[in-house]
């Protein structure tokens, strides 16, 4: 009895679901010798037991991955589904449903925005959950502050969610590099007109004149 109670059913599959039948045959070994001689005693008796093991599949948490994306100075970066590195362990096939924004990029570097149903971009807040459909529709953007650029300019953290509402066990980081662009030069002041008299000496030029505003 103690031997039977110590038996355990184990499966290596992560996606196994449903009922499995295990057949046990118990033999009392009465008077049987290794050579098959029963020494005149009764033969051994057997009993068969069929046990049903019902396996309930458990949703394994999805996995995200860290990512570095490259934005351009003074230009919105459209965040893509692939930027979150979603995957499912154990051969599960649950689809990517949403992402939770756990922490925001530094406000001095840029901000996340989500386009609403009126096509107006609203600032994303910490713990907002963004659907994959919104991301696929190009509604989620990172908007850098004007004239900010540089490698590892800023970052934010996120947690992916599968279609059974399961979140990853830990958050991941998206780092934003902002590629600089060459800004056109500017001139300050106002337009100025200058009148210069021609030299009366044919062998001399006209003296230099500073034009200031």
């Amino acid at each position: 009895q103690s031997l039977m109670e110590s038996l355990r059913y184990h499966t290596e599959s992560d996606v196994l679901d449903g009922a499995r039948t295990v057949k046990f045959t118990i033999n009392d070994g009465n008077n049987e010798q290794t050579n098959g001689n029963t020494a005149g005693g009764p033969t051994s008796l057997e009993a068969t037991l069929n046990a049903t093991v019902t396996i309930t599949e458990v949703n394994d948490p999805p996995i995200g991955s860290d990512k570095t994306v490259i934005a351009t100075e003074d230009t919105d970066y459209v965040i893509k589904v692939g930027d979150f590195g979603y995957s499912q362990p154990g051969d599960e096939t649950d689809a990517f449903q949403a992402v939770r924004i756990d922490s925001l990029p530094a406000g001095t570097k840029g901000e996340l925005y989500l386009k609403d149903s009126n096509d107006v971009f609203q600032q994303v807040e910490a713990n907002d959950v963004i659907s994959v459909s919104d991301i696929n529709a190009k509604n989620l953007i990172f908007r850098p502050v004007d004239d900010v650029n540089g490698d590892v300019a800023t970052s934010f953290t996120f947690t992916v969610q599968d279609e059974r509402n399961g979140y990853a066990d830990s958050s991941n980081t998206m780092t934003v590099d902002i590629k600089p662009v060459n800004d056109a030069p500017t001139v300050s002041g106002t337009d100025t007109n200058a009148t210069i008299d021609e030299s009366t000496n044919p062998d001399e030029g006209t003296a230099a004149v500073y034009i200031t505003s």
Side-chain angles (χ1 to χ4, degrees), residues 66-143:
D66 297 341
K67 172 87 176 206
T68 296
V69 298
I70 300 175
T72 301
E73 180 182 337
D74 302 334
T75 304
D76 291 346
Y77 175 80
V78 179
I79 297 175
K80 299 177 284 296
V81 167
D83 292 339
F84 298 100
Y86 175 88
S87 64
Q88 273 283 354
D91 298 324
E92 292 188 1
T93 58
D94 297 319
F96 187 12
Q97 175 172 276
V99 61
R100 184 182 65 222
I101 304 301
D102 297 322
S103 68
L104 300 172
T108 57
K109 303 294 185 178
E111 294 174 332
L112 295 174
Y113 287 89
L114 181 68
K115 187 185 293 185
D116 64 17
S117 58
N118 296 316
D119 286 340
V120 177
F121 279 107
Q122 304 290 345
Q123 190 172 339
V124 173
E125 302 292 343
N127 296 316
D128 280 356
V129 177
I130 314 297
S131 70
V132 165
S133 59
D134 266 329
I135 299 170
N136 279 327
K138 302 181 179 180
N139 291 338
L140 180 62
I141 64 168
F142 169 78
R143 178 170 293 168

Side-chain angles (χ1 to χ4, degrees), residues 123-198:
Q123 190 172 339
V124 173
E125 302 292 343
N127 296 316
D128 280 356
V129 177
I130 314 297
S131 70
V132 165
S133 59
D134 266 329
I135 299 170
N136 279 327
K138 302 181 179 180
N139 291 338
L140 180 62
I141 64 168
F142 169 78
R143 178 170 293 168
V145 171
D146 290 346
D147 299 326
V148 168
N149 60 68
D151 293 340
V152 196
T154 190
S155 63
F156 62 92
T157 59
F158 63 88
T159 303
V160 295
Q161 182 192 45
D162 66 24
E163 63 183 337
R164 285 190 277 177
N165 300 321
Y167 282 99
D169 287 335
S170 59
S171 63
N172 294 98
T173 300
M174 189 175 298
T175 301
V176 184
D177 293 349
I178 303 177
K179 182 174 63 176
V181 295
N182 187 22
D183 295 326
T186 59
V187 177
S188 61
T190 58
D191 293 341
T192 301
N193 296 319
T195 302
I196 304 173
D197 294 331
E198 181 182 0

